[in-house]
Structures are given as structure tokens and as C-alpha cells.
Amino acid sequence: MSITDKIKMVMVSAGVSGRGLGAALGCTPQSASTKINRGIKSIDDLIKIVDYCGGCVQLKTKDGTVIPLTIDDTKN
């Protein structure tokens, strides 16, 4: 299963449409929908979408350390 398919599963679970992500991604609803349909290519966009849907993105090291990626990580 592709990353885009997994993101879409998160969106369905949260009841969020591609167009509904416009505000989260800082673009128009149409641009957000297009971005979802073409596939997410940016970790920043992934974090923003998952955060908007009420989820979280984490990295887990070999020794079990969990490092959360938050919306604050997307701000430069």
C-alpha cells in the first residue's frame, strides 16, 4: 500500500476530504485536492495533514526511542 493510500485512510477515518485540507496546507481547496490526488511528496505536508486529521507522525529508532514530528517542525 502506498503512502498516499495510507494518508487517504487517515483522512477517511477523520472525515476529511482533499478539498477540506486547503487551510491546513495553506492553499486553495482545489490545490489541496490536486496535491492529494497526485500524492504527497513532502514530509511537511504529511505532518500537516496527519495533524489536521487528529493523528501524529513519529519516528522510532532501533532501540525503541520514539521521536514525535509535530506541526512546529514544519515552521521554518
Side-chain angles (χ1 to χ4, degrees):
M1 181 181 295
S2 72
I3 291 174
T4 299
D5 289 339
K6 291 177 182 180
I7 293 169
K8 287 179 180 179
M9 287 175 56
V10 170
M11 291 169 54
V12 167
S13 175
V16 174
S17 69
R19 294 181 67 81
L21 292 171
L25 295 174
C27 59
T28 66
Q30 180 60 44
S31 294
S33 182
T34 300
K35 193 176 272 203
I36 294 297
N37 289 330
R38 290 187 178 165
I40 298 302
K41 308 284 190 251
S42 156
I43 190 71
D44 284 355
D45 286 346
L46 171 68
I47 294 168
K48 290 174 185 176
I49 291 167
V50 173
D51 181 77
Y52 186 81
C53 291
C56 64
V57 178
Q58 300 175 335
L59 301 173
K60 186 175 180 181
T61 64
K62 286 178 18 177
D63 68 1
T65 303
V66 175
I67 304 165
L69 301 177
T70 68
I71 198 74
D72 291 334
D73 295 323
T74 65
K75 299 174 183 164
N76 294 335

